[in-house]
Amino acid sequence: MHKRIMIVKKEKCNPEGCGGYLCMRVSPSNRAGKDAIMKSPDGKVMVNEEVITDGDRIAANKCPFHALEMINLPEELDKEPIHRYGKNGFALYNLPIPIFGKVVGIIGRNGIGKSTAIKILANVLEPNLGKVEDEEYKASHEELINYFKGTEAQGFFEKRKKGEIKIAYKPQQVDMIPKQFDGTVKELLEKIDEKNALKEISEKLELTKILGHKIKDISGGELQRVAIAATVLKKANVYFFDEPTSYLDIKQRLKISTFIRTLADENTAVIVIEHDLIILDYMTDFTHLMYGKEAAYGIVSQIKTTKAGINVYLSGFLREENMRFRANAIKFLKKPPIKKQSTHEMASWDKLEHKQGIFNLKVNKGILYKSETVGIMGENGIGKTTFVKILAGEIETEDKIEKLKISYKPQYLDVSDELVAITLKKAMGKYKTAIIDTLNLKDLMMRKLSELSGGELQKVMIAKCLAEESNIILMDEPSAYLDVEQRLEISKVIRDVIEHTGKSALIVDHDLLFLDYLSDNLIVFDGEPAISGEVNGPFDMEEGMNIFLKDIELTFRRDDENNRPRANKKDSQLDREQKSKGKLYYV
């Protein structure tokens, strides 16, 4: 097999812009008379990987649009990929394996093949074993069994061939459901219900009140729970969930995790892709790491217990594979930082009330200081976004709030055909190193906002928000669509900008690990979703977390290796001990 591959990103290839196939003109192999880089029938370039040499890296480096990328594969890869997306496209090596009686998690960056891997296992995508010359080629069950001979995967594909595996699969993009189905929640679930368990599952997933609602009218969190219900109502013995907690608040995430855990028994296996590390830890027994190079190739690691797997992932080094996939380890602080409280007040608000239809929001007095990042926590439908909009001046209230210069990143991102370079003009001017380079946004500049993935768009809008002229930065769910590493990168960037500019930041999010990593203080929401909400704080981290965790009846400990927060199992010795001391978060 090739120990090096060259990826062609066709959407970036622009032969007119480089004066006519610059890469072909500078390639040493082409100059020596070999057909290494050629013009493909669609007018872009293609690469003959049998012919290219290391010297052809110059052709990739000279491309002004970064359309070519040469990659040396790890020496250990002794097989062709399980699947490759066309000639010079993304390649996936190895697969995770379901284990009966257990929940297996998958952790890794975006664009590294996690969804591809479970689509192959779920028989949604038929793999081509890297045989890209024949575009129609699909591997048969016999070939897959042979490819995985001597591994756990062999047994899985043998069972699948015999029809002993029945699959239910929840895709990542639940927002596609309203485009494919026009009707009520009940109609959709009745159509799918093979177990005759609609009533029971609706109660468990708290869908009873919305069964009569039209699919197109429900929220993202409701849509996610409907998609999970649709998956578990199928008679299956292997369940696949691709990001089951996006759009859900922390309470719902914990409930869904507990529910998904109950699906695994001696006759049933579950595989989950999840970016919220606290939830992944809480929900799964074992984990596969995926590493490689985004949009180029992905490798599935050997299986590990979840604790070990997450710790290895944060360390950035796989000992068994002798593979370093990140330059630095990610560490957390053992105790909340005793930060010298700034005495420079940035903003304050007095008690106020705001009514919106039947919903009533009560805001208690609060102060925000310069250079301070405040996390905002609470359930969905409890007024967090409304509070943020009141501060941003988007919602007028009877009690006047001092008008401040606020830059605001909303929860739902509007897309247009504007070029990224125009959107990020200010950020390029003021924060090229701190924001653009750190978040790897350079390659997106000539693309339209409407062409970006969810994660790319999120990063662009965060960068735009940070660079605006403002005193206060307000962000609503900045971690959505981002992978674990991107969430931690974003945290660092926000903290750096706040430190260097003296601005303040208010961040609404549901990922507790992200908020723990980022926040100096916390605002905690209380109330009843869709009925009433109450805003309390800012509190220091320990007090704020204790208030919040008491409400959701959860306790946290610190991992002994890297200090990351980990949820204690309910009624475990540690859980009971911490509750009795009233120390739910930092111990």
Side-chain angles (χ1 to χ4, degrees), residues 107-110 112 114 275 277 280 287-291 304 306-318 325-326 328-330 483-486 488 561-562:
I107 179 176
R109 297 210 73 147
N110 285 337
I112 210 127
K114 299 184 303 296
H275 290 304
L277 282 188
L280 181 83
T287 299
H288 286 279
L289 278 64
M290 286 190 64
Y291 61 96
K304 300 182 182 335
T306 293
K307 177 186 171 171
I310 293 177
N311 285 353
V312 165
Y313 186 71
L314 292 173
S315 79
F317 180 66
L318 274 156
F325 55 89
R326 192 187 322 103
N328 305 102
I330 295 165
D483 62 44
V484 176
E485 291 180 54
Q486 289 168 337
L488 298 174
E561 199 172 305
N562 48 34

Side-chain angles (χ1 to χ4, degrees), residues 201-440:
I201 297 298
S202 298
E203 282 168 10
K204 281 185 178 168
L205 297 179
E206 297 175 359
L207 296 171
T208 314
K209 287 180 181 169
I210 63 157
L211 286 174
H213 294 194
K214 287 265 195 201
I215 288 279
K216 65 175 185 350
D217 297 333
I218 63 178
S219 72
E222 288 163 344
L223 208 47
Q224 183 69 271
R225 299 202 310 278
V226 167
I228 292 167
T231 308
V232 299
L233 286 170
K234 289 185 176 145
K235 279 184 183 161
N237 57 359
V238 183
Y239 290 95
F240 295 95
F241 295 96
D242 196 341
E243 295 190 33
T245 71
S246 49
Y247 304 110
L248 301 182
D249 64 39
I250 183 64
K251 258 191 183 173
Q252 293 164 339
R253 287 179 185 198
L254 291 161
K255 281 178 186 164
I256 289 297
S257 305
T258 307
F259 174 73
I260 286 175
R261 279 199 72 82
T262 64
L263 298 174
D265 59 34
E266 58 189 40
N267 303 313
T268 314
V270 180
I271 284 199
V272 180
I273 294 172
E274 181 53 66
H275 290 304
D276 182 329
L277 282 188
I278 286 175
I279 293 301
L280 181 83
D281 192 8
Y282 194 72
M283 184 172 16
T284 62
D285 302 293
F286 295 97
T287 299
H288 286 279
L289 278 64
M290 286 190 64
Y291 61 96
K293 182 84 175 69
E294 300 98 293
Y297 75 99
I299 302 171
V300 181
S301 79
Q302 295 167 26
I303 199 160
K304 300 182 182 335
T305 62
T306 293
K307 177 186 171 171
I310 293 177
N311 285 353
V312 165
Y313 186 71
L314 292 173
S315 79
F317 180 66
L318 274 156
R319 198 163 279 113
E320 297 89 336
E321 282 95 335
N322 192 22
M323 183 76 199
R324 176 155 292 291
F325 55 89
R326 192 187 322 103
N328 305 102
I330 295 165
K331 294 263 186 202
F332 293 80
L333 296 168
K334 182 88 181 171
K335 287 261 187 286
I338 307 300
K339 189 171 181 276
K340 193 176 171 296
Q341 178 86 45
S342 162
T343 48
H344 292 93
E345 200 176 295
M346 175 66 83
S348 63
W349 51 89
D350 288 322
K351 267 184 129 167
L352 66 94
E353 287 207 31
H354 176 67
K355 255 186 126 47
Q356 223 169 348
I358 61 159
F359 182 77
N360 190 49
L361 181 67
K362 194 172 147 193
V363 180
N364 290 314
K365 190 176 168 55
I367 299 174
L368 191 59
Y369 292 96
K370 269 190 160 183
S371 305
E372 178 179 58
T373 301
V374 177
I376 299 182
M377 310 175 78
E379 290 178 71
N380 282 338
I382 208 162
K384 295 185 306 299
T385 301
T386 304
F387 173 63
V388 166
K389 284 183 172 176
I390 288 172
L391 289 184
E394 283 201 17
I395 292 177
E396 291 283 334
T397 57
E398 285 172 24
D399 313 86
K400 285 280 168 253
I401 276 194
E402 168 196 357
K403 280 279 181 289
L404 288 152
K405 235 180 175 180
I406 286 176
S407 60
Y408 173 49
K409 185 208 78 71
Q411 181 180 358
Y412 299 107
L413 306 174
D414 285 334
V415 292
S416 66
D417 284 341
E418 182 173 273
L419 282 180
V420 172
I422 309 256
T423 305
L424 294 183
K425 199 173 168 194
K426 269 188 191 154
M428 274 299 277
K430 282 173 28 186
Y431 298 108
K432 188 183 176 304
T433 311
I435 298 178
I436 303 297
D437 295 348
T438 310
L439 296 181
N440 294 321

